[in-house]
Amino acid sequence: MKRLSIVMIALFSVFAMNAQQSTKAKKLLSEVSSKVKGYDNMVIDFKYSLENTAESVSQETRGDVSIHGDKYLLNLMGTTQLFDGKKIYTIIPEDQEINISNYVEEDDNNITPSKMFSFYEEGYTYKWDISQDIKGRQIQYIKLTPIDSNADVKNILLGIDSQTKHIYNLIQTQDNGTKITITVKSFKTNQPLAKSLFSFNEGRYKDFYINRLD
């Protein structure tokens, strides 16, 4: 009986600690989300890397994205993706091709640029993880685990600058062993963006094949 009591006390201590860590993690994520929602727009330069040791796959590149509300303009791996709030335009200059599709939120399980600072608000459990000093910046990691056991994503580590409350990096580990890391290199807010930046001008792509998917 005494041994059982000790075990029960230990279990309750673990549960209490986990609950406390979850609360701390959720509070920090709320602070990040609240701060980002206060900006009119964001212009971000980032490093993108993908690794799968088992498949001997390793690639690294740079990209940039401009975000205003739900709208975004993303440049990555020689491809431009534009979301005007209703449709997604994927422009591939190398193939002189443009794919146009309607955006359906219910069918979107990916972390889109406009969702990068809010995707964690639903569908994940939170855990307070390690803290690292990176070039004089204190980066606190929050571990996110999908509630859906059938999700392709195993977990996500979200690195947050403890002082600025900005996201420093995102490390996504998938069930197949693939690890995708996005590291913010430059983060600018409230920039003088052109009104036409998030509008698709079909006239600029007269020589492109336009594939309307919807």
Side-chain angles (χ1 to χ4, degrees):
M1 182 66 71
K2 185 176 181 181
R3 181 178 297 176
L4 181 60
S5 298
I6 293 173
V7 171
M8 292 298 292
I9 291 171
L11 284 174
F12 281 128
S13 297
V14 170
F15 291 150
M17 186 179 296
N18 287 341
Q20 187 178 23
Q21 288 184 345
S22 177
T23 301
K24 283 172 61 179
K26 190 171 184 179
K27 181 177 182 293
L28 180 56
L29 290 173
S30 295
E31 290 175 354
V32 172
S33 182
S34 177
K35 189 160 189 177
V36 165
K37 288 174 182 176
Y39 299 134
D40 181 59
N41 62 60
M42 294 171 283
V43 178
I44 304 166
D45 292 325
F46 60 89
K47 181 174 74 173
Y48 173 95
S49 66
L50 183 150
E51 289 185 15
N52 187 313
T53 306
E55 300 293 333
S56 299
V57 175
S58 179
Q59 52 184 162
E60 185 175 296
T61 187
R62 299 291 283 264
D64 63 82
V65 61
S66 298
I67 304 170
H68 175 63
D70 289 333
K71 300 175 183 179
Y72 65 81
L73 178 66
L74 169 69
N75 295 298
L76 182 65
M77 295 182 179
T79 297
T80 296
Q81 189 173 88
L82 168 69
F83 178 49
D84 63 4
K86 294 181 179 179
K87 293 183 180 291
I88 298 174
Y89 305 83
T90 303
I91 305 164
I92 313 168
E94 185 178 354
D95 299 332
Q96 287 193 305
E97 181 179 335
I98 299 173
N99 295 320
I100 303 177
S101 61
N102 290 320
Y103 171 66
V104 181
E105 187 173 2
E106 290 78 8
D107 295 340
D108 183 20
N109 295 316
N110 296 318
I111 302 173
T112 63
S114 54
K115 280 187 172 182
M116 184 177 175
F117 303 95
S118 62
F119 75 92
Y120 47 77
E121 292 177 352
E122 293 182 5
Y124 293 88
T125 59
Y126 315 118
K127 183 180 178 183
W128 195 262
D129 211 273
I130 64 170
S131 179
Q132 289 184 334
D133 186 303
I134 301 178
K135 296 180 180 179
R137 299 170 66 184
Q138 200 64 35
I139 306 300
Q140 176 61 55
Y141 284 91
I142 303 298
K143 187 174 184 179
L144 309 173
T145 303
I147 294 173
D148 182 2
S149 58
N150 295 318
D152 293 333
V153 176
K154 186 177 180 181
N155 61 64
I156 296 172
L157 278 173
L158 204 58
I160 299 167
D161 187 313
S162 298
Q163 182 176 0
T164 64
K165 300 299 187 294
H166 288 163
I167 292 177
Y168 168 73
N169 68 352
L170 178 152
I171 306 168
Q172 176 177 295
T173 302
Q174 299 177 342
D175 275 340
N176 63 2
T178 299
K179 182 179 288 186
I180 297 171
T181 303
I182 299 173
T183 304
V184 175
K185 308 302 290 184
S186 171
F187 187 95
K188 298 177 182 178
T189 62
N190 302 332
Q191 298 298 294
L193 302 180
K195 291 182 179 179
S196 61
L197 186 64
F198 304 103
S199 299
F200 177 70
N201 184 351
E202 190 170 324
R204 294 177 54 191
Y205 304 97
K206 294 179 180 179
D207 297 328
F208 281 60
Y209 171 73
I210 297 181
N211 184 21
R212 303 181 190 276
L213 303 176
D214 294 308

